[in-house]
Amino acid sequence: MKTVDARGQACPKPLILTKQALKEMSPGDSVSVLIDNPVSFQNVERFLTDNGMSPQTTEQKGVFTVIVRKQAEPLAHPDAASYCSTCSTAQKPPIVVFAQDKMGRGSDELGKILMKAFVNTIRETSPLPSHLVFYNSGILLTVEGSPLIDSFNELERKGISLLVCGTCAEYFKKKEAVRVGTLSNMYSILETMTAAGHIIQP
Amino acid sequence: MPFDLLTTVEYGGCSAKLSPAQLAEVLKDLPEIRHERLLVDISTHDDAGVWKLTDDIALIQTTDFFPPVCSDPYEFGQIAAANALSDVYAMGGTPINALNIVMFPQSRIPLEVLREILRGGMDKVAESGAVIVGGHTIDDFPPKYGLAVTGTAHPSHITTNAAARPGEDLILTKAIGTGAIVAGHRIGETKPAAYRAAIESMKQLNKSGATVMNHYNVCSATDITGFSLLGHAMKMADASNVTIEIDAAAVPLLDDAYRLVELGCIPGASFRNQAFVGDQCTFSDSVDYNLKMLLFDPQTSGGLLFSVAHEKARDALAELRDSGHSCASIIGRVVSRADKALIVNQA
């Protein structure tokens, strides 16, 4: 019997781990889940009974053991996509694409100053973008020595994702010097641009 | 390195409110308060207290505060303020001023973080047209922020939760799912775009919603917060002595909320809300389990739920969608009190 150790995991991790285990098991198999958080234990037990299963539970020294058998019929697999957003007119957040490390054309020096002001103003805008995408010389804004590292960290803390083109970082020989965001690829970048509400390009 | 407020609530964030059952237990043995000027009191578990000052002015008073629901202090300030102001709008009123309520561990978090929280609160209060007139701060961990708000309304135009009438349609002004999305974000599951959309939804004032309500002479409303859509709907049904029917498929969901619940990312408070509603809700067999748990999802700074005459519902909906509530939806109807407070179907 498989054992899932969810001890020390904060709610709702124990439930997620239990569900994951059930998904991977064959019908008729059993799983044993260890939970040390009484509230999480109650929630997992409730989830299982609500979904037609009969968990057996024991408790010893603050650790709950939940043993449950996967039903012969699989848990209903609803078409999740149809629930994705019943709010079809919900506003999709914009993204910002940094295709170069300067803003505008005519003067490089002015371009650098404008870019700094642009990035520092992003946090004041509403709605905030969901992603910042960097490619070509745009990646230079994300490397060691860039005056914008702290600003980008602040935006990351708000839940904004920073995608830095890996090919570009390598081209500029700066792959090890990237200090914010995650290295990404053309597919992810294109996927992000396609899904965006609208694209802002300084 | 800027301070991440979510690190102060890593225990798993089961919502900070006392369970509704515990609260009911505490309150039931306290003496009932009655006063000729008290138009709305605690007995209907409504959103705020309403006090008749003159024949034309009723004061609406409410308070709300909680620990961080996001990393950024400025956004936390905005969301907490929007949440506190919401109860005034739920009563059909206009906020006039507010007091800050702050708990902050000054020896553990830099004071600049507090400044940003307060700035967020101040900006949101200003957006509502009200003014912050003072406040109180004590040392405590984890940090908490919110407001005590005063609003006004005409005494005969208060939208209580006790006036829903059979035959009316039910409108919800914001999508639900903030509980699952915030819980998912804590464990790195929520899609970034969905998280941002949820944050923007939580920051949104219910101001234009209240304007639409008043325009259509709505008598009954509440706002959806920690007790979930079904929890607050049940309070409205009980206070109004009606039954509320909800079509689960018509309830607007925040993007990615369903996927998260399907993964098992169900906040602990959802189960608490489910226990509170208990057997007061009948679910038809067709209601999907994950959708059901979303109807129990605790909301932070959710939308308004109000009942409106059937023939006016479409117009009210159109006006809501024109005034920034793109997810507003007709989600059900009010019927005569049947056996249970709530009936949930899925078309």
Side-chain angles (χ1 to χ4, degrees):
Chain A
M1 174 166 64
K2 182 178 166 130
T3 300
V4 171
D5 188 352
R7 289 175 297 180
Q9 297 281 355
C11 189
K13 258 308 199 157
L15 180 51
I16 295 176
L17 292 170
T18 304
K19 215 174 167 184
Q20 180 74 15
L22 283 169
K23 201 171 152 188
E24 288 163 3
M25 281 155 56
S26 307
D29 283 352
S30 290
V31 65
S32 167
V33 185
L34 303 173
I35 304 171
D36 59 4
N37 173 334
V39 174
S40 291
F41 158 69
Q42 279 169 16
N43 296 344
V44 169
E45 194 183 28
R46 181 78 201 248
F47 165 81
L48 293 169
T49 49
D50 262 5
N51 281 283
M53 286 173 268
S54 311
Q56 291 164 296
T57 66
T58 50
E59 184 263 333
Q60 194 175 33
K61 293 189 186 150
V63 177
F64 300 88
T65 306
V66 180
I67 297 177
V68 71
R69 196 174 182 187
K70 184 166 174 173
Q71 306 138 307
E73 272 102 54
L75 275 179
H77 289 301
D79 175 20
S82 67
Y83 293 99
C84 266
S85 179
T86 61
C87 178
S88 57
T89 54
Q91 196 180 16
K92 284 199 247 180
I95 66 167
V96 182
V97 171
F98 296 88
Q100 52 179 8
D101 61 346
K102 301 171 210 17
M103 183 172 182
R105 272 177 262 197
S107 158
D108 280 358
E109 191 188 352
L110 178 59
K112 283 195 167 107
I113 297 168
L114 289 177
M115 181 55 87
K116 200 170 169 195
F118 177 86
V119 172
N120 288 326
T121 311
I122 291 176
R123 65 170 182 251
E124 318 274 336
T125 61
S126 180
L128 285 169
S130 58
H131 294 76
L132 307 184
V133 172
F134 304 83
Y135 52 74
N136 210 311
S137 65
I139 66 114
L140 298 174
L141 298 168
T142 67
V143 305
E144 179 82 43
S146 158
L148 294 169
I149 305 289
D150 279 348
S151 305
F152 287 135
N153 278 328
E154 188 189 336
L155 296 173
E156 273 188 301
R157 261 188 329 108
K158 288 180 193 268
I160 299 175
S161 272
L162 273 58
L163 304 180
V164 180
C165 165
T167 307
C168 310
E170 221 176 279
Y171 180 90
F172 285 101
K173 297 188 172 41
K174 294 281 186 187
K175 204 166 174 185
E176 310 302 320
V178 172
R179 291 284 167 267
V180 289
T182 47
L183 288 175
S184 189
N185 55 58
M186 186 58 80
Y187 179 76
S188 298
I189 287 175
L190 192 56
E191 196 182 37
T192 302
M193 288 166 95
T194 310
H198 57 273
I199 297 177
I200 300 169
Q201 206 162 339
Chain B
M1 187 70 186
F3 191 87
D4 178 350
L5 277 177
L6 276 182
T7 57
T8 64
V9 285
E10 268 164 353
Y11 53 76
C14 287
S15 312
K17 271 169 114 98
L18 250 57
S19 80
Q22 283 175 309
L23 196 56
E25 183 61 32
V26 164
L27 294 173
K28 81 175 201 292
D29 290 329
L30 289 175
E32 270 186 21
I33 314 261
R34 292 252 176 276
H35 194 286
E36 59 186 4
R37 287 190 178 269
L38 195 53
L39 299 180
V40 177
D41 61 41
I42 215 168
S43 59
T44 50
H45 303 288
D46 212 325
D47 303 293
V50 184
W51 184 269
K52 187 173 178 179
L53 206 56
T54 68
D55 285 340
D56 301 308
I57 306 173
L59 282 182
I60 300 171
Q61 290 171 280
T62 180
T63 182
D64 226 312
F65 54 91
F66 46 71
V69 294
C70 63
S71 300
D72 183 74
Y74 179 76
E75 292 194 310
F76 171 51
Q78 289 177 297
I79 292 170
N83 189 80
L85 290 160
S86 180
D87 280 336
V88 172
Y89 294 122
M91 303 299 286
T94 304
I96 55 171
N97 58 37
L99 295 163
N100 276 325
I101 298 176
V102 184
M103 277 135 267
F104 194 79
Q106 56 180 343
S107 55
R108 290 166 74 156
I109 307 180
L111 278 179
E112 300 91 80
V113 172
L114 177 55
R115 185 182 309 121
E116 282 301 290
I117 294 173
L118 294 177
R119 201 168 63 84
M122 205 162 92
D123 285 353
K124 192 51 71 172
V125 168
E127 189 189 321
S128 76
V131 173
I132 293 196
V133 297
H136 185 63
T137 307
I138 63 168
D139 198 289
D140 192 34
F141 184 88
K144 301 162 199 69
Y145 176 67
L147 307 170
V149 186
T150 299
T152 55
H154 193 283
S156 47
H157 294 140
I158 310 284
T159 49
T160 69
N161 67 355
R165 289 183 289 238
E168 290 182 320
D169 280 346
L170 270 170
I171 291 185
L172 177 62
T173 65
K174 287 190 194 179
I176 60 172
T178 65
I181 288 181
V182 169
H185 174 73
R186 276 202 187 93
I187 53 175
E189 261 310 322
T190 306
K191 292 185 188 151
Y195 179 68
R196 287 284 2 133
I199 295 276
E200 295 300 325
S201 181
M202 289 189 268
K203 284 185 203 171
Q204 190 182 24
L205 287 175
N206 282 324
K207 184 176 179 181
S208 51
T211 304
V212 171
M213 269 176 18
N214 288 333
H215 189 200
Y216 287 88
N217 292 321
V218 164
C219 298
S220 204
T222 187
D223 65 337
I224 305 303
T225 55
F227 293 151
S228 81
L229 173 62
L230 292 183
H232 290 286
M234 180 175 82
K235 292 206 291 174
M236 195 166 170
D238 284 341
S240 306
N241 196 31
V242 296
T243 286
I244 282 178
E245 268 183 21
I246 291 176
D247 176 11
V251 176
L253 307 176
L254 287 168
D255 192 36
D256 213 27
Y258 186 91
R259 183 190 68 87
L260 288 164
V261 168
E262 220 217 336
L263 267 182
C265 188
I266 303 173
S270 305
F271 291 96
R272 272 215 312 265
N273 290 330
Q274 185 184 27
F276 174 58
V277 168
D279 61 0
Q280 275 307 299
C281 181
T282 309
F283 290 93
S284 73
D285 289 336
S286 56
V287 178
D288 169 69
Y289 175 81
N290 297 321
L291 196 45
K292 180 176 84 166
M293 292 318 287
L294 271 167
L295 300 182
F296 285 122
D297 188 73
Q299 300 310 293
T300 296
S301 191
L304 297 173
L305 176 73
F306 63 86
S307 64
V308 65
H310 175 68
E311 60 275 12
K312 296 187 194 170
R314 300 243 159 254
D315 289 340
L317 192 65
E319 218 173 287
L320 281 167
R321 293 208 169 153
D322 279 343
S323 55
H325 288 288
S326 56
C327 294
S329 307
I330 298 173
I331 65 163
R333 67 210 58 81
V334 182
V335 300
S336 306
R337 183 65 181 215
D339 185 31
K340 309 277 172 83
L342 302 172
I343 299 174
V344 178
N345 300 311
Q346 185 170 340

